[in-house]
Amino acid sequence: MIDHVQHLNGLPALTFPQFTHSARLPAAGAAAWRIELEDRDGDEASDVYWERFLTAMPAEDVRALIIGYPWYTEHGLGSMTEEITEASSRLVNLEALFLGDIVSEQSELSWMEQSDVAPVLEAYPRLRELAVRGSSGLAFPAVRHEALRTLRFECGGLPAEVVRGVLDSDLPALEHLELWLGDEYYGCDTTLEDLAPLLDGTRFPALRHLGLQNSTFQDDIAAAVAHAPVVARLESLSLSLGTLGDTGAEALLNGQPLTHLRSLDLHHHFLSDAMMLRIWEALEPAGVRVDLSGREDADEDEDDDGGRYVAAAE
Amino acid sequence: MTSLPGHRTRERLPVPHTSDAYDPDAKLLTSAHLDRRAPWLAPGEPVPPYHLLQAAVTTGRTAAEVRDRFAELGHQVPSAEELAALPADAMKLVSCNLDGVSPWMRPHFAPRMRAHILWAAAQLKRSPAELASEYAALGLPVRDPGRFPASVDEDDLILVSDRLSGEWPWYEETDPATMRGRILRTAERLEVPPAEVAARYAGLGYRTPALGSAPERVRRRELRLASDRVDGSAPWLADDAPVPLRQILLIVDRTEDDTKDLERTTAAAVLACRDLTALGYRIEPGVAGLITEDLLLVSQEMNGVPPWLDEAAPVPVDHVLRFAEKHGRNPNALVIRLTRLGYREVPTGSLADRVDAAELSLAATTRMDRPDDLTQRWLRQDDPHWLSHVLKVAVRTGRPPAEVMARLRALGFRIPGAALPATVSAEDVRLVSRSLDGDAPWLDPTAPVSVAHVLRAAHTTGASVREVLARLEELGLTRLPAVPDRAVTEEDLQLVSVDGRARTSGRWLGSTVPYGRVLYAAATTGRGVQEIADRYRELGHTDLALPETPLPESVSEDDLSLFRLGSHTWAPDWPGLDEEIPLPHILLRASAEGVAPAEIGRRLRTLGFRGLPAPLPDTPFPGDPVLISGAQRPTAPWLAPHTTVSTDHVWAAARASGVSPYDVANRLLALGFGLPFTLRPEDRLIVGPDADGGAPRSRYAGLGPVLLAAKTLGRTPTEIATRRAELGCAWQDLPETAGPDDEDILVLSENLDSRAPWLERNSTPSLLHVLRAARATGRTPQETAGRLTRLGHDVTLPGPVGPEDIPLLEAVGRIRQVTEVEHVLTVASRTGRSPAEVAASLSALGFDVRAAAYPARRPAPGRPRRP
C-alpha cells in the first residue's frame, strides 16, 4: 500500500548516493533529494552522509527533501527533526519536506518513530509543503505558519491531540490538507467531534482539497461530509483508503450537491456494484472525476467493522 | 548516462583465441560448452573427439565438416582415420541421455563416469567394458577403464545411484577410503550382508575394502558409527587412517543420554571402538583400551566432558603438568599415554617425574595487578616471552631469577641460558613490557629494541636514557639502539609515536621509520623533510631511508591524505619509500578529489614515493573504487591487482556504477586488470541498448539491441548476438526468416522509437503495443502481429481491432483479464465514453467484462482548476 515517495513539490525523488558515486547528479533544485541509507555493512556513517549532502550540494539551492531509512525507524536513528532544524541556515530555500519515507520492508508504519514537528515549521518559515509518515511520538502543537500550503499526515492511527493541534493552528495559506486517521488499535482516538471545526468551514480559509482518509469510521465521515459547510469551497475531496461502504455512499448521494467538485477520490472502498454505478451516474456526467478503483471485499472471517479494513494500519 | 573517457584497448593479459571476433561459427565451435563464451578450447591442444561430435550436432554438420573447420581455425584435430574409427553410436554416447542431443557429457562428470557407463551399458545392452573403452576413445575421462565388467544387470543400477534409487544422480567416486561407509549404507538399505554388497561393487569395478568381521545385517547403529556426523548418512568415515579419539567421543556424545557418568561414557567409547573394528575401521590401541582417567586427561577442563583437547593442535605442557599435579601422576607417563591416544603434538624432552603445587605455580603467568590469580594463562614449553615470565615470578616469589629459571627447566620448560641480575623488581617487569605497564605485550629478547621504547621508558621512569639502556642490557636484551643520553622531551615522544600523539598514542614506531612518517612529521611541524630526518637520526634511528631524488621542501597537511593509509585517520599507517601504495587507496583519493589516478600517482612520486601501482589512468573517473570492489561499492573486498576479472563482475560493476559494461571493461584494463575477452572499440556500441555506448539496463535484453547494433555496424544479427554473448549478454535466439529491416527495430521498441526500452525476449507484447506499432508503421494489426511473431514474440489478436481501440486500451492500462465494474467505470471516466460503450468495446477486444446495467450517459469533460 505505502510506497516510496516518487515526487515531492513537483520534483522527482532521487536518492542522494552514499560515498562518492560516479553518477552525475542533477542540479540541487531539480530533484527532491531522498536522504536514505541502506541496511548493509559498510554503509556510510549517517552523520558523515548527511554532512556530505549539505556540502556536496549547493544547500541553498535544495528545494525539496525526503528523509528515509534509517531515520524514523524503531531500531534506527529515530526522528531527524533536530538535524533538519539545525540545517535551516543552510537550506534557506527549502520548500517541501517529507519526514519518514519508510516502506514496510524497512519498518511497519505503526513502528515508526516520529517527533514534534513544530520546530521544523518554525525553522523553515518559507516551507510550502510538509508531509509526515508515522504517528508514534508525533506531536503537532498549534503553530502559525504563513507559507504552508500542503500538509499531509500518513499514518495508521492519528492521535486526536495532533488533529486538534492542526485545527488550532493558524495556516492562512493552507490549500491542501490530508489526514489519514487510521485504526483505534494503532493509536487513532480522533472522533467526528474533533473534526467539527474543520467540517464547519471555520478553519483554513484557503482550503481547496480535503482528505479525511484511511478511517475505520469512513461511513460516518461521509455522512458528516454530506452536510458539512466546508465542502462548498472545496475543489476536490478524498474519502479514500478507509472502510467506506454503501451506507456512507448513500449519505453522500442524499446530501448536499457535490457536482461543483473537480474530483472525488473514493479508492479503496467496499461499495457494491450497484452503488458504484449510482455514484458514477450521479457525478461523472456532471463533470466530477470519481476514483472508484480499488474495490475491496470484506473479510468474512473478521467480525470487526463487518470485516472491512483500512488500507494502512500496522 | 555517464560515459567514461576512452582508453586505449590493451591486450596485456592472456585472452581467448579466436580467429575473428565476429565469426559466430568459430565462437560457437571453440567455446568449451558450445555456448559462445569462455572457457575456450586451447588452440594448441587437440580437439577432443567428444567435443567435435557435440559441435557437429549443435551446428547441424557432419563430424568431418566440423573437423575441417577446426583445422581451418588452427586447432589440432583427429585424423580422418581416427574419426572413422570412433564408435558407431558415438553421437549417442556423448549425450547425457544417450539421445544424441544436449545436454552433453563433459569432462567434469569424471567422478560419476563409472556409474554413467554402467547405466549406459544397461540402456544400450552393451558391455560396460567395451563402452568404457569407447568413452575413453572419445576423450571423456574414465577412471580404471580396465576394471569394468563384461555385463551389467538392471539391479546393479541401484548400487551405482547416489540415492540407491536406480536413477540419476549417480554415485560419485570421490575418496576411495570412504567406500566402506557406502557399502554399509547399501547393505542396510537392501538388507543384504555387506560382504555381498562389497563383492557386487567390486564386480562393477569399484575399489572396495576388506570388510573384516562385519555383521551379516547392518543396522542403524552401524551406519551411525560409520558416518562422519554420526547421523547414518554421508559423508562417511575414511578407513585409511585410524578413527581418531575425537570421533569416538563424538559418537558417545551423540548416542548416549548421560555423558556425565564417566564410567558409562568410557564403556560406551570402548564399545564404539569394538564395533568400528568389527566394521573394518582401524582404532589406535590406546583408544581401544580407553580408561576413565583418559577422559579426564583429554578434556580441556580435566573433568571428563567436552570440550576435548584437539588432536590436531599441540597439547600444552601446562595441561600435562597440571593433570600430573592434580592426580599425582608422572608427567612423562602422561605424555606417553597421550601419544597412544592419538595426540601427535605432545610436549617433548624430559619433564619432571613429579609435580607439586608450589613448583607448578612457577609456570603460572599472572598479571601485575593480580599476582595471586594463577588461573590466567600458563607459560608454554618454548615460550618466546620467557624473560618477562621469569622476571614476574622472581618478583612474585622473591626468588632469584636464576633459581626460577632452573626450576622451570626442571619442570620441562626450555628456558635459554641467559645471565640475569640476582635481584629484580617490578620496575624491571615494566621495563620489558611494550606498554611499560608490566603486562603483555612483551619485548622479544631476540629482537631489536626500538628507540621509542627506550625514550618512553626513560620518560616514564624518570631514569636517564643511559640508565634505561644499561638495565635492559643487564636483563638480557642485547639488540639495543644507540640512543644518545638526553633529557627526553614531549616532542621526542611525538616523533616516535605512529600517530604523533605522544600522550595518548598506543602505537609506537619500531626500528624502522617509514618515509611516510617522516613526511607526516614535516607536515605537522612545518619543518623541512631533511630536518625531520636528521631529528630521527639524532634520536638513534638508523633505519630511515630517504629518496635519492631531491626531497620536497615542505609537505602540506593536504598532502597527508595522499599517503596516510589505514581505514581511519586516527589510526594511520605510513608507507615506506618503496612500499607499494595500494591501488584502492589511490583510486579512493582520486575519486574524492575528482582527479585522475595518475595525478595522485604523480603527486606521490613528487613526494618521493617509489612504490606505485601501474598502470594509473590519466583520466578521472569517480566510480573507480566501485569497479575494483568485489562488493560493488567503494569498500573492501578489493580485487587482487592484475587479476583477470569475470564477465559477471564487469556487469555487476557496470550496474552499480551506472555506466556501460564496455566502459567498465575498458577502465579495468586501464587499471591493469585482465578480462576474459578481448575488448574491441565497437563493443561499446554492441553491448549498449541503443548502439550508442549507453548503459544497458540488463544483460537479458531482447532482440531489439541486437538488430540495432547490426544495422549500425553493418554486421549480421548473428555476428552481433554472438559477440554480445561473449561479452556477457544472454544469448538471443534469432528469427530464421530474412531481415531484419528498420520496421523490425521499430516494432521491437516499447515506445516505437527504435530505442530502448525494448520488448523483452520471447515476451507477449500487449495488444496496445501491436496497435500502436501498426499505426506507427502504417501496417495492419494483422501484419504487425505477424512481424512480431516472426521476431520471436507470441502475439494473438482477439478479432477485428484497429487504431480506434488505442485510446480505450491506453485507459485500460495494466488491467489484463477480468474486468470488474470499477474497471469499466474507470475506463469510461478516462476516455469520455459511456460505461455501456466501454463494456461493449472491451468485450469485443477479448476482455471478460462483468455483466451489469452500465449507464449509457457519457462523462462530462472535467473542469479546470480554479486559479
Side-chain angles (χ1 to χ4, degrees), chain B residues 257-291:
Chain B
D257 295 334
D258 181 11
T259 52
K260 289 186 179 154
D261 183 331
L262 299 188
E263 297 293 341
R264 282 183 61 181
T265 301
T266 308
V270 170
L271 182 62
C273 291
R274 192 195 67 193
D275 290 349
L276 281 166
T277 305
L279 292 172
Y281 291 96
R282 288 158 51 199
I283 306 288
E284 293 275 11
V287 176
L290 195 76
I291 59 174

Side-chain angles (χ1 to χ4, degrees), chain B residues 91-345:
Chain B
M91 287 290 189
K92 283 185 182 174
L93 299 188
V94 298
S95 61
C96 290
N97 296 319
L98 301 175
D99 53 5
V101 294
S102 173
W104 301 114
M105 296 295 291
R106 303 279 185 218
H108 68 266
F109 294 168
R112 290 187 163 136
M113 202 63 187
R114 177 174 302 278
H116 176 84
I117 290 173
L118 292 168
W119 169 78
Q123 300 301 305
L124 299 172
K125 309 210 179 310
R126 299 269 312 274
S127 157
E130 207 176 284
L131 271 188
S133 303
E134 292 179 6
Y135 272 108
L138 286 166
L140 288 161
V142 181
R143 290 181 186 171
D144 297 335
R147 290 175 58 88
F148 278 82
S151 63
V152 62
D153 292 337
E154 285 283 341
D155 286 352
D156 290 330
L157 298 183
I158 291 175
L159 271 66
V160 303
S161 58
D162 193 45
R163 296 169 194 153
L164 298 172
S165 61
E167 295 172 350
W168 190 90
W170 303 116
Y171 174 60
E172 278 193 28
E173 283 183 282
T174 47
D175 182 2
T178 61
M179 189 68 195
R180 187 180 301 275
R182 170 73 184 183
I183 290 170
L184 294 172
R185 174 81 181 94
T186 308
E188 189 261 355
R189 171 68 72 85
L190 302 183
E191 298 183 348
V192 294
E196 187 180 316
V197 172
R200 287 175 68 186
Y201 272 118
L204 295 172
Y206 291 90
R207 295 187 180 275
T208 57
L211 282 178
S213 54
E216 280 292 295
R217 283 273 180 252
V218 177
R219 293 157 305 164
R220 179 74 184 155
R221 173 171 166 77
E222 280 81 28
L223 279 189
R224 294 190 70 184
L225 290 177
S227 61
D228 193 52
R229 294 187 299 253
V230 200
D231 59 1
S233 62
W236 306 104
L237 292 181
D239 63 5
D240 56 350
V243 181
L245 176 60
R246 178 188 63 249
Q247 183 68 24
I248 304 293
L249 296 173
L250 181 67
I251 290 170
V252 173
D253 188 48
R254 300 244 168 121
T255 56
E256 294 295 314
D257 295 334
D258 181 11
T259 52
K260 289 186 179 154
D261 183 331
L262 299 188
E263 297 293 341
R264 282 183 61 181
T265 301
T266 308
V270 170
L271 182 62
C273 291
R274 192 195 67 193
D275 290 349
L276 281 166
T277 305
L279 292 172
Y281 291 96
R282 288 158 51 199
I283 306 288
E284 293 275 11
V287 176
L290 195 76
I291 59 174
T292 303
E293 188 175 293
D294 290 335
L295 292 180
L296 299 174
L297 179 60
V298 300
S299 57
Q300 288 185 20
E301 302 297 328
M302 301 182 197
N303 55 2
V305 297
W308 310 104
L309 294 179
D310 183 356
E311 289 143 305
V315 178
V317 69
D318 72 87
H319 183 86
V320 175
L321 296 176
R322 287 188 292 128
F323 190 90
E325 187 273 331
K326 187 174 180 182
H327 296 280
R329 298 286 187 266
N330 182 328
N332 296 298
L334 293 177
V335 170
I336 293 169
R337 184 69 192 152
L338 284 165
T339 307
R340 285 171 54 80
L341 290 171
Y343 290 88
R344 297 286 174 261
E345 294 190 59

Side-chain angles (χ1 to χ4, degrees), chain B residues 434 443-456 469 472 477-483 495-498 507-515 517-518 533 535-545 574 576:
Chain B
R434 289 185 186 278
L443 294 182
D444 179 352
T446 63
V449 177
S450 68
V451 170
H453 187 80
V454 173
L455 295 179
R456 288 171 55 232
L469 287 168
L472 284 170
L477 293 145
T478 54
R479 302 181 65 182
L480 296 170
V483 184
L495 274 177
V496 296
S497 67
V498 171
R507 298 170 66 213
W508 302 91
L509 293 179
S511 299
T512 303
V513 184
Y515 178 59
R517 180 64 182 87
V518 177
R535 286 277 291 120
Y536 274 114
R537 291 198 177 101
E538 283 169 20
L539 292 175
H541 273 291
T542 53
D543 191 359
L544 189 158
W574 306 107

Side-chain angles (χ1 to χ4, degrees), chain A residues 198-221:
Chain A
L198 182 62
L199 296 173
D200 69 16
T202 57
R203 308 297 304 149
F204 314 133
L207 197 66
R208 291 182 181 189
H209 172 89
L210 176 61
L212 295 171
Q213 301 158 263
N214 196 43
S215 175
T216 54
F217 52 98
Q218 202 75 50
D219 277 345
D220 295 339
I221 291 174

